[in-house]
Amino acid sequence: MSKTGNYLLVIALLLFLIPSVVEAKKAPPEVLLGIERLAEYKGELSDKRLGLLTNQTGVTKSLQSSVDVVREEFNLVAIFVPEHGLSGAVVAGESVADAQYEGVPVRSLYGATKRPTAEMLADIDVLLVDLQDIGVRHYTYTSSLAYAMEACAEFGKTIVVLDRPNPLGGKIEGPTLKKGYESFIGLYPLPLRHGLTIGEYAKLINQEYAIGADLLVIPLKNWRRGMYFAKTGLPWVATSPNIPTAETALPYAITGIVGDLNVSVGVGTTKPFEYVGAPWLDKKTLASELNGLGLPGVFFRPIAFEPKYGIYKDEVCQGVQVHILDSDKVQAAQTGAQLVRVLINNYSDQLAFPLRQTEGYKFDIALGESSLRYVNLSLDNILERWQRENEEFRVLSKPYLLYPW
């Protein structure tokens, strides 16, 4: 073949390959939030009096408040707020007061009552819900949603959930909540890491637990179950004072239960739920024990830290920082369980399980069962049971899933 022929062949191949390369480099489709699709449902909502259960996490991709979005296009007559209040500034566990937002009444669902009353709902036809959950069972926003659904069912109101991503994706892990361990941080028998969006959660509990609400979920567009929040291209707004970043959600799934021991999990530092420590721990020994387990996707670095509030305020704690090396490989619930067992086995004289004000242990309520406290129970057997429970929940939840992998 002549040189000219070779050049022509190369040019032809390039013309053939370039479109494929360009296609491969195209950005993935933009994830659209439920609030950003509200206009598609204008016909159903334009003549209705609306309430909105939301907080600081209710924003569009451009960070416009959902409250303002709804006020501009619809008749917003009341705002409802969960734990931490409308701005997310109220400390965990503290009551939230009723207030006003630019003339619209703000009604607390974390104060005198956690359930919307007949009086609260009297002047609305539809309750919208726009809350960013974190994908871990022991968190109160899904409970506020559930109580709102129950109230809407009781008082004949429609409830519309504006869906948001699960920041931990669709992976399912950890024990299913057992009967007798229900609380406001876990109402239904879901796994610790449930893998549902808040809209899917609403659909599941509405059907499986016979709430019977007139429920509509406005779904996300272009979200997939394999996406951690960083892959969505969406901005993160701190869901509560100690979940400042989307990346905090995964350490919380690991160490959240440890915070119900007499151990600091970094609350009061710049790394909540990444730090684990106490004045009576030995950082090098703890790090060595944990790293020796070969747990996938994590590394435990020995550290010292001094919380500025919370347990061990102004005391130097020794412990570890949980470094996430590969979020796809991390087994959050197993890692948390192993951490607890290492603490029990090595520090039984100092470690304590604080009691609840009513009955039982705070730790058990967060975990959803009592198994980890009993060292005579094989951890391998416990983890195998959790896997079976995860598979059962995977089957149960399948009809309510809105998004593919």
Side-chain angles (χ1 to χ4, degrees), residues 98-396:
D98 290 344
Q100 291 270 324
Y101 176 83
E102 297 185 7
V104 180
V106 176
R107 295 164 179 166
S108 171
L109 297 181
Y110 201 82
T113 180
K114 291 184 174 69
R115 297 175 183 272
T117 63
E119 183 181 3
M120 287 178 171
L121 296 176
D123 56 356
I124 73 167
D125 304 305
V126 177
L127 179 62
L128 305 177
V129 181
D130 192 17
L131 294 168
Q132 178 63 60
D133 186 41
I134 65 166
V136 181
R137 184 198 340 110
H138 48 80
Y139 208 65
T140 61
Y141 294 166
T142 49
S143 296
S144 291
L145 166 63
Y147 283 175
M149 290 171 62
E150 291 173 0
C152 285
E154 181 178 358
F155 302 122
K157 310 296 181 178
T158 297
I159 188 162
V160 178
V161 177
L162 308 173
D163 213 4
R164 288 185 172 270
N166 183 326
L168 297 181
K171 190 173 180 180
I172 298 170
E173 288 190 76
T176 294
L177 179 76
K178 305 303 184 295
K179 189 172 179 58
Y181 294 89
E182 301 91 344
S183 74
F184 195 61
I185 59 167
L187 292 175
Y188 298 102
L190 273 68
L192 188 77
R193 182 178 178 182
H194 51 69
L196 304 174
T197 67
I198 198 166
E200 292 171 333
Y201 172 91
K203 285 168 62 69
L204 185 148
I205 65 170
N206 198 44
Q207 180 66 33
E208 293 295 327
Y209 303 105
I211 293 176
D214 179 15
L215 170 68
L216 170 66
V217 175
I218 298 182
L220 298 155
K221 232 177 187 178
N222 302 321
W223 186 74
R224 304 183 73 87
R225 313 197 75 75
M227 285 183 177
Y228 280 81
F229 197 86
K231 294 288 183 69
T232 66
L234 298 169
W236 179 263
V237 174
T239 55
S240 53
N242 288 306
I243 307 289
T245 71
E247 289 71 29
T248 312
L250 190 51
Y252 180 74
I254 297 170
T255 68
I257 58 173
V258 181
D260 285 313
L261 306 173
N262 62 331
V263 174
S264 171
V265 288
V267 171
T269 76
T270 59
K271 294 289 185 181
F273 301 109
E274 290 185 34
Y275 293 169
V276 176
W280 38 265
L281 284 169
D282 181 274
K283 61 185 180 182
K284 288 187 177 180
T285 300
L286 182 60
S288 177
E289 288 266 350
L290 291 167
N291 288 323
L293 296 171
L295 298 170
V298 293
F299 182 80
F300 300 91
R301 183 175 67 89
I303 60 162
F305 61 93
E306 187 176 305
K308 292 304 170 186
Y309 55 87
I311 189 173
Y312 302 127
K313 177 180 180 292
D314 295 330
E315 294 186 59
V316 175
C317 296
Q318 291 197 56
V320 294
Q321 181 176 1
V322 183
H323 286 269
I324 306 297
L325 304 181
D326 189 332
S327 56
D328 290 326
K329 291 182 179 177
V330 170
Q331 297 173 8
Q334 175 185 337
T335 302
Q338 294 279 11
L339 173 55
V340 170
R341 279 298 176 87
V342 166
L343 291 171
I344 292 173
N345 291 337
N346 289 276
Y347 298 94
S348 59
D349 291 341
Q350 297 96 339
L351 192 68
F353 291 83
L355 293 168
R356 301 178 73 204
Q357 289 182 343
T358 51
E359 61 177 337
Y361 294 92
K362 293 180 179 180
F363 176 84
D364 295 353
I365 294 301
L367 182 65
E369 63 177 48
S370 62
S371 61
L372 288 184
R373 284 193 296 109
Y374 297 102
V375 291
N376 59 316
L377 296 178
S378 161
L379 183 56
D380 287 342
N381 290 344
I382 291 170
L383 296 176
E384 286 174 9
R385 172 172 57 77
W386 289 0
Q387 288 182 346
R388 293 194 297 273
E389 292 172 4
N390 295 164
E391 186 53 41
E392 290 167 2
F393 185 75
R394 194 171 285 109
V395 173
L396 174 73

